[in-house]
Amino acid sequence: MGTTDSVAPERTALSDRRPGGSTSPGKVGRPAVHLLWRFLPGLTAYLFLVVLLLLADTSASDVARYTGYVLWGVLLPGTLVFRALRRRPFSLLEDLAYGAVTGLVLELVAWFLLVSLGAQSVAVAWPLAVVIPFAAVPRLRRHWRPRGYRASSAGWSWSVAGTVMLSSAYFHQVFLARYPVLPAGEANRIFGDMPYMLSLAANAKQHVPLTVPQAAGEPLYYHWFSFAHMAMTDMVGHIDLPVVESRLMVPALAALSMVITAVVARRLTGRAWAGPLAAVLVFAVGEFTATYPNNVNTWTFGAPAVRLMFWSSLSLTYSQPLLIALMGVVGDALRRTGIKAGAGKSGGADGEDAGAGPGGGGAPLFGRGVFVLTALFALASSAAKASTLPVTLAGLAVAGLVMLIGTRRVPWTVVGLGAILAGAQVFATAVIFHFESYGLEIAPFGNVQSYWADPGHARPAAFQALVVAATLAAFLLNHHVKLLGMIPLLRRRKSALEPVQWFLLGAAVAGPAAYLTVNGYNSSYFTIAALPFGVVLSAWGYCESFERAALPRRAKAALAVATLAFIALLTFAIHRYSDAWAKFVQRLCGDREANASYSLLLAALGAAAALALIALVCGVLWWLAGRARPALRGRGGIVLLTAVLAAGVPGLAHDVLQSRQEAWVGSWVLPGSQVDAARWIRAHSEPSDVLVTNSHCWEFDDYANGPACNNTRSQWLSGYSERSVLIEGWAYAPRAVALTRGGTAYDGPFWDQELFALNEDAVYRPTEAKLRTLHDRYHVRFVVVHRPTGHESSRLRELARPVFDNGRIAVYRLS
């Protein structure tokens, strides 16, 4: 395993060229073979995903349309603009990865203009706004075929492709093959939030800004950019939204996230192998819990980084590549600052030509266009996920403060970057979120204090202090074992970190610090937003340690085999013995109260202690062996660090096993008859039509005729009909969620009881006057009766025209 890139300019030798630029007859076939070999890893990863999609009942035409959409609507315009903004090329993969993310940003601008102007029908042509200038303007035309790319080694390329294929296989097992595109039977299960996310994407096809589809006209103060992306996928690619949501979007954006992580880590660390390592640490290494199964009830510290990393949070899915690209361009600007402050003579007057400055590794700096790229990625990130910019700003503030103290000069580059990020944050807070906090509040340790709760004050002070310390240790252990690769880097460099390293470290610390400060389940996304920063720093430290260990080839192979064996053994042990282990640790700790506040943490803490003890014994034995065999000296640390970083891998395998063995508690039954009715309405109504329904709760068998329930999350009608509903389920409406004080959903009464009464009367007590009011004032065109909730009044058939009835759902048209 190497830790530096194999970089060789891609050019044909002058001796092989004939006059006019052609190659000699004997050499004609060789460049084509070379190109095929270069693109084979990416092509293999793509075809592997295509096969998985086809196995998951995705039609070949949808796959083809989506491929065309990505190439035409995202990759082509984005890559052209990125090439015009970056100063010099480095690698083709970097151009394509950053180009795809840039395309996502440009797509948002196109969406805003198209929907605002009512020009959705010509959405497929929007890339021409980029393509035509780049074809017509001579200075821009050169970006179609840039020169000077550097080739990556075959091993590096296949490693990155392998990480993409790993993520594709994972998502096929836990998501693509588990949930249908359109539920057909009456017992189909679907992840509970999928209809809600589908309804927001449908809303984005018609509204700027978005509104709450389950409460027609209610403003949506939420990070909804991901749903604008879904809407554009539908409008440009002509692909049905359920297919985009349940098949195409998740694995595609996951693949982009892994690739952009690899190229960013490679650029910032200057070590090629930090790229695939960082991608694996971010997307394959989960939490260390030592428990199986890991259902929602056993999530210890908020949203998990494996299961909720993508498929059940589309806003996170969409935000990841934007955040990582933002981290990359800000980090590159700090590389420029580091070159100027340190070895400023390595290049041009301002250091822009320096390709091998601190962390450079031969990658040329982006140049002044980095500020435009920062603005693009920051604005898109601002309302892609609300947790991303605060973490990035915190990391930049740490880097700027250290530079100010160290040089006693204002780091104007950092000030400029900070102004851009702060401006994007203000834009999102004021314009998109409308200062809505969703119930989050400053409450230090509010998210974890339940683990050390002692309401009766029965514990001795010393023991209570131990419980508090153990809880915080469990939090770090749960999410942050994968970040321990940064320790040798910090230990070796101490306070002499480069600006980009301070930036990564500051952001990595800011995320969990925010989670421990801001109370509310959703604050756990601050922790997840910080992980890419810490992971790049961890990969950086690991690669440096690996270089210093200078392992011979056989030792590298032995380390790889031993790591796989350790992962397999740990995966099996947790899967087979975690329940017995948890009970054993409880008895060992004297915790005979099954529901003690800290009981849930004991399994992980005990497993960590046991593994630490084993590591200590192995360390002593390694030291003794090193006295007999000098080749072992100084190399035990890399073995230990490898094992530590791999400790979270079982979470990935356990997710796959669990998805096969039991239904996830976050999934609920969605009868196909309801989806059929909603789709009928979609085909026989206008996008501006509003619906009335008596369906307000997800599961309906425990009540009848419309009394209140304790789960106001009915979203199937707005999701699959792609129409707004006057009042459906209001659990996720901003004004409702704000009342939960950081909870995940609101289950109280609807805020306008007079309107709610009118809504219910349309089904159970209709009159001509009431239906006329709904038609004229609220633009209601259909009344949709969910009969398991309650049968409609016989008068409704007299006052409105029945147009659909499958026994479970009846639809009436108002005229």
Side-chain angles (χ1 to χ4, degrees), residues 325-467:
L326 177 62
M327 173 180 70
V329 294
V330 172
D332 193 79
L334 293 176
R335 280 181 56 211
R336 175 177 180 268
T337 301
I339 292 171
K340 290 174 66 177
K345 298 182 179 63
S346 57
D350 60 357
E352 285 190 42
D353 291 332
L365 297 172
F366 285 142
R368 293 185 177 89
V370 75
F371 294 98
V372 179
L373 290 169
T374 298
L376 291 174
F377 299 151
L379 285 170
S381 295
S382 66
K385 196 72 176 175
S387 54
T388 57
L389 278 190
V391 169
T392 310
L393 266 168
L396 187 62
V398 169
L401 180 61
V402 171
M403 293 172 67
L404 178 63
I405 294 173
T407 64
R408 297 184 181 181
R409 289 184 294 180
V410 176
W412 291 111
T413 297
V414 175
V415 172
L417 293 170
I420 294 171
L421 297 181
Q425 183 63 60
V426 170
F427 161 77
T429 303
V431 177
I432 306 296
F433 306 144
H434 211 257
F435 301 100
E436 179 60 64
S437 67
Y438 274 85
L440 297 178
E441 58 184 1
I442 302 297
F445 304 109
N447 290 316
V448 299
Q449 62 185 1
S450 60
Y451 293 112
W452 64 64
D454 182 26
H457 303 287
R459 298 172 188 157
F463 181 67
Q464 178 66 2
L466 177 62
V467 173

Side-chain angles (χ1 to χ4, degrees), residues 16-24:
D16 292 338
R17 291 189 175 273
R18 302 177 67 192
S22 61
T23 56
S24 59

Side-chain angles (χ1 to χ4, degrees), residues 258-285:
M258 300 189 82
V259 172
I260 194 68
T261 297
V263 300
V264 165
R266 172 185 180 178
R267 169 173 282 270
L268 297 186
T269 68
R271 290 163 172 80
W273 286 101
L277 175 59
V280 167
L281 289 176
V282 169
F283 301 105
V285 181

